[in-house]
Amino acid sequence: MERIQNFINGVFAEPTKGQYIDNYEPASGQVYCQIPNSTEEDIEAAVIAAEKAFPIWSAMSGEERGAIMMRISQGIEKRMDQFVAAESRDNGKPLSLAAHVDIPRAVSNFHFFATAIEHVSSESHYMEGVGVNYTTRKPIGVVGCISPWNLPLYLFSWKIAPALAAGNCVIAKPSEITPYTAYLLGEVIKESGMPAGVLNIVHGTGQSAGDAIVKHPKIKAISFTGGTKTGEYIARTAGPMFKKLSLELGGKNPNIIFADCDFDDMIKTTVRSSFANQGQICLCGSRIFVERSIYNKFKEAFVARVQQLTVSHPSDPNAKMGAVVSKPHMEKVLSYIALAKEEGGTVLCGGHQVNLPAPYDNGYYIAPTVIEGLAYDCRTNQEEIFGPVVTITPFDTEEEVLMMANSTQYGLSATIWTSDLKRAHRVADKVHSGIVWINSWLVRDLRTPFGGVKASGVGREGGWEAMRFFTEAKNVFISY
Ligand code: NAD
């Protein structure tokens, strides 16, 4: 069976202790490769390599670093088919999704930050008659990037690219559930001419490799995307070490639909914002609030469309939804559907596992599920499920829907559907979230701040926000 390797100091390497863990294919439920179960010894080796590389990498001009990163972007693009197939196999998502969203976005992430570094300017603050302040921004040194399984290479590269562009050396750990495209990235890095040790990719569990990154005294900043509980642990561990922290965490996003919206556009987009990537996007709108006057019309049209979504194995060109990422995750999602019923919810469609014929009969498939009749403050409507499950709830007034929308501990994104411009701005202003889409969903401009409020995270990624996170500011004052 294939064993993937760590990528440390420019070469592929076995884990120091020689231990491996199984990697499952969600489509079939079968183990298809093994990945290093890395330990603190591997992280130590990566940190030594990164420290050695830092003076070389940080001394290069932004243009020189950008040129190498452009080659990485092109290298992924050249191997598009290989990356697409690997991402789909590792995660369970339809091939078409990996081909249209995940891998093109990884290409763009490297491209975007490779060029961004050439446009960074620093600030100065003039004090009339007194002097001038100018601010320099220097790379931090060795930084850690830890990413989740839902958009594997997409989110991995979203962290790594700004860290590298700013001149840092990186210890990166992809999710142990979806490590394969991060492994392939090592090949591209080798061909790009990037000096050894600048980017080190270490595989393994959160408890072992992840924890060793968080606790390593020479890793000065941690950029993390994942669950809120893990983020809380990382903050608790790294905070007292005075590490810089960027935490992108869970969500329970409201999708607020007013009666005056463009109904057809809204329905089409709402199917996507509910079930894209099997509902496993942190930005999916899992709580749908519909103005009462169109509630029944919405319910009928929405459920009819959802029932047409084909759940199939990821390489089936007709698949609109593939497998969820793992058996434990499938069981978690199914347990939430059971909870919703206990809490008095009515399942309008889905609500069960989908069994496909061999060789996919042990795969992790769940029918897209729509539930109504739940109180806004029940557990199903408050806790993150992160799967193909949405609830629909009617509302009467703007105040009421804002109260319900803002009632969770989360605040990542929100979607608002209305043709009333004033209302759109008013509701966007009052909704507790870091990102709002009006009459749209998941339109991404890589320059914009990305992140959440409350338990959805601390800090922002994207554009200058990311470049600022991965640098330290120094203010210098010159007296007249
Ligand atoms: P997770 O927190 O279990 O794992 C994320 C990463 O952290 C993995 O690489 C894991 O190995 C590592 N990790 C786990 N325990 C660790 C520890 N103690 N120390 C260091 N690292 C550790 O999350 P997941 O299940 O992989 O991802 C799903 C979650 O991610 C959901 O809650 C989802 O909302 C969230 N997410 C958020 C965003 C965002 O931008 N806000 C984007 C995608 C996913």
Side-chain angles (χ1 to χ4, degrees):
M1 181 169 303
E2 186 187 12
R3 283 184 160 177
I4 68 173
Q5 304 287 298
N6 289 330
F7 183 71
I8 297 176
N9 202 23
V11 292
F12 286 103
E14 302 239 351
T16 311
K17 290 203 168 145
Q19 291 169 355
Y20 286 82
I21 45 182
D22 290 338
N23 186 26
Y24 289 81
E25 179 186 49
S28 65
Q30 304 302 316
V31 175
Y32 81 101
C33 74
Q34 290 194 313
I35 78 160
N37 186 5
S38 303
T39 54
E40 56 187 355
E41 289 80 0
D42 302 294
I43 299 300
E44 182 61 26
V47 171
I48 291 169
E51 276 200 300
K52 212 169 113 214
F54 181 66
I56 303 163
W57 185 244
S58 58
M60 283 185 178
S61 67
E63 202 178 345
E64 287 170 313
R65 289 198 296 269
I68 292 173
M69 290 177 61
M70 284 299 271
R71 290 203 286 276
I72 298 173
S73 171
Q74 289 154 0
I76 300 170
E77 208 168 12
K78 258 191 245 153
R79 294 163 176 250
M80 181 61 76
D81 292 348
Q82 188 187 9
F83 272 99
V84 165
E87 201 70 296
S88 167
R89 184 172 198 194
D90 220 16
N91 174 277
K93 65 181 72 205
L95 270 176
S96 57
L97 192 67
H100 290 109
V101 178
D102 293 74
I103 308 304
R105 178 55 193 278
V107 170
S108 303
N109 286 341
F110 278 106
H111 183 281
F112 177 82
F113 286 107
T115 53
I117 190 64
E118 288 193 48
H119 301 269
V120 172
S121 55
S122 56
E123 305 125 43
S124 90
H125 298 86
Y126 169 59
M127 298 170 77
E128 203 172 336
V130 181
V132 173
N133 296 273
Y134 65 87
T135 310
T136 60
R137 288 201 162 265
K138 298 251 177 78
I140 299 168
V142 180
V143 302
C145 297
I146 303 175
S147 60
W149 49 256
N150 63 323
L151 299 164
L153 193 66
Y154 174 134
L155 290 174
F156 194 62
S157 53
W158 181 232
K159 298 184 172 309
I160 291 169
L164 293 172
N168 300 285
C169 291
V170 178
I171 315 298
K173 192 193 90 62
S175 170
E176 63 274 33
I177 301 170
T178 52
Y180 207 95
T181 47
Y183 165 60
L184 291 180
L185 183 64
E187 291 286 354
V188 174
I189 302 290
K190 266 180 121 169
E191 290 163 12
S192 72
M194 178 173 269
V198 171
L199 173 60
N200 303 278
I201 301 167
V202 187
H203 297 276
T205 65
Q207 288 68 27
S208 178
D211 197 46
I213 292 174
V214 173
K215 287 182 175 156
H216 200 293
K218 290 188 171 159
I219 299 179
K220 298 292 184 200
I222 306 284
S223 173
F224 168 80
T225 299
T228 293
K229 255 196 174 154
T230 316
E232 189 265 335
Y233 171 80
I234 291 175
R236 193 154 27 89
T237 309
M241 298 174 81
F242 307 112
K243 296 190 182 203
K244 265 186 123 173
L245 285 180
S246 165
L247 304 173
E248 299 293 337
L249 311 176
K252 187 77 179 174
N253 309 309
N255 179 2
I256 303 172
I257 299 166
F258 289 97
D260 64 357
C261 69
D262 177 331
F263 192 84
D264 292 343
D265 194 15
M266 175 276 294
I267 280 283
K268 219 169 58 200
T269 308
T270 295
V271 171
R272 227 165 34 86
S273 68
S274 302
F275 298 111
N277 204 35
Q278 297 69 249
Q280 303 167 132
I281 300 180
C282 54
L283 307 163
C284 280
S286 54
R287 293 179 298 147
I288 304 175
F289 298 105
V290 188
E291 196 166 1
R292 198 176 298 277
S293 59
I294 60 159
Y295 184 79
N296 285 332
K297 180 182 170 192
F298 170 84
K299 178 165 104 175
E300 205 174 296
F302 184 60
V303 169
R305 276 193 174 241
V306 172
Q307 282 171 328
Q308 283 165 17
L309 293 174
T310 308
V311 179
S312 187
H313 60 88
S315 44
D316 180 347
N318 295 319
K320 290 282 180 279
M321 290 175 56
V324 299
V325 79
S326 68
K327 191 159 191 249
H329 190 59
M330 176 176 74
E331 283 162 0
K332 175 189 149 182
V333 174
L334 292 172
S335 79
Y336 268 104
I337 296 171
L339 173 71
K341 290 181 195 158
E342 279 168 34
E343 289 184 317
T346 304
V347 174
L348 299 174
C349 65
H352 53 82
Q353 210 180 326
V354 174
N355 297 308
L356 297 187
Y360 304 107
D361 44 341
N362 287 315
Y364 319 131
Y365 301 92
I366 300 178
T369 302
V370 181
I371 302 170
E372 73 166 350
L374 288 167
Y376 76 92
D377 57 354
C378 69
R379 281 184 56 207
T380 309
N381 268 329
Q382 293 288 315
E383 297 175 16
E384 186 184 43
I385 301 174
F386 212 53
V389 180
V390 295
T391 63
I392 60 174
T393 308
F395 69 88
D396 293 300
T397 65
E398 221 173 280
E399 292 68 32
E400 182 194 16
V401 76
L402 274 165
M403 181 277 291
M404 295 194 288
N406 290 338
S407 68
T408 72
Q409 64 164 329
Y410 298 107
L412 186 54
S413 71
T415 309
I416 301 164
W417 290 93
T418 179
S419 297
D420 179 337
L421 193 60
K422 281 190 177 177
R423 172 157 61 197
H425 288 301
R426 201 165 52 231
V427 175
D429 192 51
K430 289 190 180 146
V431 75
H432 298 165
S433 70
I435 303 156
V436 180
W437 281 288
I438 297 169
N439 300 330
S440 60
W441 179 70
L442 203 55
V443 178
R444 291 282 295 118
D445 178 330
L446 304 190
R447 296 169 299 180
T448 59
F450 180 91
V453 299
K454 304 196 281 185
S456 288
V458 177
R460 294 290 181 274
E461 297 187 309
W464 298 143
E465 298 276 349
M467 299 303 277
R468 290 171 88 87
F469 175 76
F470 284 115
T471 50
E472 286 286 12
K474 180 191 278 178
N475 192 70
V476 181
F477 171 73
I478 320 166
S479 173
Y480 282 173

